Structure formats: structure tokens, C-alpha cells
Amino acid sequence: MQARRYQEELNALSGHTHGRNARLVRLALLGLAAGRDPQTLAEEIVAAGGEPRLTDAEVRRAIQTAGRRFSSASAAPQTNRLPPFRKMQEPRPPTARERNFVREMISAGKGAKSSDLRGLSPVEWGTVPVAAAFLGAIFQPDDLVFAGTPFRPRTRENLMTAKELADGLSAPGAELPTHLVPNPFSGEPGRNAEGKVSYCLDATVAHRRLALVEFDELPLEEQAAFWRGVIEGRLLPVRSLVYSGAKSIHGLVELVDDGTVVKWSGQWRTLERLLCSDPDSAYHADRACKNAARFTRFPGAIRPETGRPQALLYLG
């Protein structure tokens, strides 16, 4: 129970700037009650904090305050003193490779069109429906998937297994969803930032396998060149590429999943350094894609705003 409440509060932390000190203490109390050690607790809170970034000092103060209250409440004098923290390192400056990575990939893939990416795909989908091929490539059959639109109620009834979703979308006349979350959910409830019950939150993600990468400002031809450079150079484990039906290509990049927020956040920061270190922000990937429950475009559907198909370009 305490572990679930801690995960719900952790998920709701990002974006809160008012009353943050009290919120941090409450969150730290829940984490200690759930059995987190202070160092792990600090790393998880910083990773979940979002922007503006939480500082080492304020997180440490909150955990120390929570530790005193927790020790007093549990009547355990021998635990009044928390183990010392390891100093959290400040982010290092980007290397030359990181600063130049996006442009180097564009140069390596120069001349590519979106239609050229399919020729690089190790998975062919010409003989099966696009939806079934896509779902089969990125999910296990019994993974719980949320698909629809961002406005669809995030209830337990709107989660279905990847196999159920693929079977339903293969039926004659089935309408493809415009969006889905590329990571599966646990089927357990959580509470969003407004305190409402939801089954589709970062805290209720079961496996953090895939990160969404998209560029908002690069022309499409440069995005296609970037992805060709990455794929041909085998520099990132790209699982799929989908044209959004507007101005971007949505790439899903595979991460190592050990079930923890800390592992996910560390890998995202590594990816972010490669994709967001160019001196010109026009060459930055969208930093808002750092959460595991982020929506991506479902291939084969028509984007309502433009009337264009959200085309599947690559499956790995």
C-alpha cells in the first residue's frame, strides 16, 4: 500500500512549483515507509522532478526532515540518523560528439526521403495489416496497451492486450486509433496530478522499453536523413518510425528495462545528451518526450487535422 502511494505521489511531482517543499517531505515520508533507502529515494525524486530541476540540497533537506519525523513516528531511536548521502554530480558539459551528433547523422543520411526508410527495415509488413505488424513488433501479446486518443478515458476498461487490440483492428471496417502509448501498463490504478484515478500514468507503466524521439523544427527531409544515418550507422536501437501526418517522424528507440524509474531516467538523459546538445535548438529533439507514458502516433490512421495518413516507415 505504501509503495503504491509513493509511486502515485512520485508520478504527480513533475511540474509542481508551488508548495514544493511540503510536497517533497510528504513524498520522502512515503518513500521511507515503502522501504526506500535515502540515496535511492533522492535519485528517484530528482529523476521524477521535471522542470524546474530539483536541487541536491532541497531534496536532501526534505529527506532529512522526513527521516526525523519517520523515526519519531516509528519510535525507533536507533534510526534517528540517516546514512550520509553521496554527493550528486552536476551534469558535465556535452562532448564534441554530443554537440555534433544530430548534424553528423543528417550529413551521413543526406538525400534520404521518408519513403527510403522502408528499404532499411529488417521487418517487412507488406503481407499483414499495418496495425498487426506494428503491435507485434513492439509489444508482447499479453502486454496491456492503451490506444485511442489522448482524450480517451484512462480507465481499466480501455486497456487491452496487444493481441486483443490487433485482432480487433483486423476486423472489417475497424477504425484505427490515432494514438497509443508504446510502453505497456500494469493494470493497477494510480492518481494523476489532479488526484483522479487513472490507469495510464508513468507510475502505472509496467515495462519502460521504448523512448519516443521526435524533432519539431527540422524539415522532414533532414529528419529522414537523420534516421537513415542512425540506422545505417547502427548507433541507436530503432524499433519503429512513423510519419505523424504533419511535420515530424516519430521514432521509438529501445531502452534497457529493469522496472525502475531511475534506470529509465538515466538512459533518457544519455539519449537527451546526444539529441539535445547542439548549440542551435532547431537541432534538438523534443525534451517533453522523456516520460514513459508519452503518446505516439498510431500507424495507418488518418490524422484528423491534416487528412494525411500516419504512415509506417520502418520496423526493426
Side-chain angles (χ1 to χ4, degrees):
M1 178 64 178
Q2 294 288 7
R4 189 177 74 181
R5 289 185 60 200
Y6 167 67
Q7 286 296 332
E8 290 172 355
E9 285 286 326
L10 193 68
N11 180 70
L13 179 63
S14 179
H16 285 274
T17 57
H18 300 292
R20 194 157 67 163
N21 289 337
R23 192 180 192 94
L24 288 177
V25 172
R26 183 170 67 251
L27 178 58
L29 277 167
L30 288 170
L32 293 171
R36 295 294 197 277
D37 66 87
Q39 187 65 42
T40 298
L41 186 56
E43 291 171 355
E44 290 183 345
I45 291 174
V46 169
E51 299 294 339
R53 183 177 171 82
L54 293 165
T55 67
D56 179 10
E58 65 182 318
V59 172
R60 183 180 306 192
R61 284 196 302 270
I63 294 175
Q64 289 173 339
T65 299
R68 290 192 292 271
R69 295 181 187 177
F70 184 71
S71 298
S72 175
S74 59
Q78 69 273 21
T79 63
N80 279 345
R81 294 188 64 187
L82 292 174
F85 286 88
R86 299 190 304 273
K87 182 174 177 57
M88 293 184 184
Q89 296 182 347
E90 291 297 317
R92 60 172 174 77
T95 64
R97 180 173 183 267
E98 290 166 341
R99 289 194 301 272
N100 297 323
F101 182 77
V102 173
R103 295 194 203 219
E104 286 183 359
M105 292 303 98
I106 292 171
S107 178
K110 187 175 180 180
K113 298 182 175 64
S114 297
S115 57
D116 297 331
L117 297 172
R118 182 165 180 170
L120 303 174
S121 178
V123 177
E124 181 53 57
W125 60 91
T127 59
V128 296
V130 167
F134 177 72
L135 292 168
I138 69 170
F139 291 110
Q140 298 297 318
D142 59 349
D143 282 341
L144 287 176
V145 181
F146 182 79
T149 76
F151 307 105
R152 190 181 192 196
R154 302 182 188 191
T155 60
R156 180 62 179 81
E157 293 73 21
N158 284 333
L159 291 177
M160 62 183 69
T161 68
K163 184 179 185 307
E164 290 170 339
L165 181 58
D167 289 346
L169 295 177
S170 298
E175 184 177 352
L176 295 178
T178 57
H179 297 75
L180 91 160
V181 176
N183 290 302
F185 292 97
S186 66
E188 296 297 321
R191 291 191 180 275
N192 61 21
E194 289 74 43
K196 297 178 181 178
V197 173
S198 173
Y199 286 78
C200 304
L201 302 165
D202 284 346
T204 64
V205 169
H207 300 287
R208 296 169 175 83
R209 300 173 184 147
L210 297 170
L212 172 62
V213 175
E214 63 171 309
F215 294 88
D216 288 330
E217 297 186 44
L218 285 181
L220 271 174
E221 59 268 23
E222 291 194 351
Q223 294 181 48
F226 169 84
W227 287 113
R228 184 167 82 172
V230 165
I231 292 166
E232 290 184 337
R234 299 184 179 182
L235 297 175
L236 292 174
V238 182
R239 295 300 303 277
S240 72
L241 298 174
V242 175
Y243 170 54
S244 70
K247 61 179 183 178
S248 62
I249 294 172
H250 286 201
L252 295 179
V253 174
E254 188 171 23
L255 302 182
V256 177
D257 171 44
D258 72 351
T260 69
V261 174
V262 169
K263 182 73 171 179
W264 162 272
S265 298
Q267 291 180 93
W268 170 258
R269 285 194 296 271
T270 299
L271 194 60
E272 184 181 40
R273 293 181 69 84
L274 276 180
L275 303 177
C276 301
S277 294
D278 194 284
D280 185 346
S281 63
Y283 290 89
H284 290 187
D286 186 354
R287 295 177 188 267
C289 297
K290 66 183 177 181
N291 61 306
R294 183 80 174 178
F295 282 96
T296 187
R297 292 282 170 172
F298 197 100
I302 301 297
R303 182 165 179 146
E305 305 96 316
T306 65
R308 299 173 189 163
Q310 299 172 177
L312 181 61
L313 305 176
Y314 175 93
L315 273 182

